[in-house]
Amino acid sequence: MQSKKSQLQTLKKVFLYIGKYRIFVLLSFVFAAISVALTLYIPKLIGEAVDDIIGPANVDFMHLRDTLILIGLCALVTALMQWLMSICNNKMTYQIVQDVRNEAFRKIEILPLKYIDGHAHGDLVSRVIADVDQFADGLLMGFTQLFTGVLT
């Protein structure tokens, strides 16, 4: 189990990697905010649509039509914002993964041969490939859920 100091150092390093891609973080946050706002606005519009149907002879068809069109537009814009947020998160995550792998390869290149011979080759490959892939999955899920969860 990692100590608190080690965890803070790891977190600091992750934020340094993320810091290079601030624009994607900002865009993702904006897209998430719009998506969440519209997602929360749709039930209000549905309530208005229900209110337009007062009774069999008292239906306000014009306002009901406008409300239904607005609901459809909100759903369409929400889907677009979620798609754009997903693109930003994917781009950011895979750029960070590329940076981590490049740094790992640079470090492997300067390691003494004694170290490389003393460790299983599969272990080195696993750390560079599998562990970084798990890191990427965590980042991708974390960005998406963090932004939408906090804003909701």
Side-chain angles (χ1 to χ4, degrees):
M1 184 126 173
Q2 285 186 328
S3 68
K4 285 274 189 194
K5 187 175 181 181
S6 178
Q7 287 176 348
L8 288 175
Q9 288 173 336
T10 303
L11 200 54
K12 184 178 177 183
K13 197 164 192 173
V14 169
F15 282 127
L16 287 174
Y17 282 117
I18 293 170
K20 294 180 191 177
Y21 306 102
R22 283 186 211 112
I23 188 70
F24 289 115
V25 173
L26 179 65
L27 286 173
S28 183
F29 191 77
V30 168
F31 295 144
I34 294 169
S35 173
V36 167
L38 291 175
T39 299
L40 296 174
Y41 184 57
I42 289 174
K44 181 188 178 305
L45 291 174
I46 291 172
E48 286 183 25
V50 169
D51 290 344
D52 288 337
I53 307 171
I54 299 168
N58 296 329
V59 178
D60 185 358
F61 285 108
M62 296 302 284
H63 190 261
L64 180 62
R65 182 199 68 198
D66 294 343
T67 304
L68 292 176
I69 290 172
L70 190 55
I71 289 170
L73 287 173
C74 285
L76 188 66
V77 172
T78 298
L80 177 66
M81 292 299 114
Q82 289 175 350
W83 180 69
L84 291 172
M85 181 180 65
S86 175
I87 288 174
C88 285
N89 290 342
N90 282 332
K91 177 76 172 161
M92 178 175 34
T93 297
Y94 293 113
Q95 289 292 342
I96 290 169
V97 165
Q98 183 178 10
D99 292 347
V100 170
R101 283 195 175 136
N102 287 339
E103 185 177 330
F105 282 121
R106 279 193 299 276
K107 289 197 181 208
I108 288 172
E109 287 176 340
I110 61 171
L111 283 174
L113 288 177
K114 181 179 178 181
Y115 177 85
I116 294 173
D117 287 340
H119 290 78
H121 299 295
D123 186 44
L124 291 174
V125 172
S126 173
R127 294 208 184 270
V128 174
I129 295 175
D131 290 357
V132 175
D133 279 345
Q134 283 186 328
F135 173 66
D137 291 343
L139 272 180
L140 192 57
M141 189 170 52
F143 285 135
T144 304
Q145 290 181 353
L146 175 72
F147 293 157
T148 55
V150 166
L151 291 171
T152 300

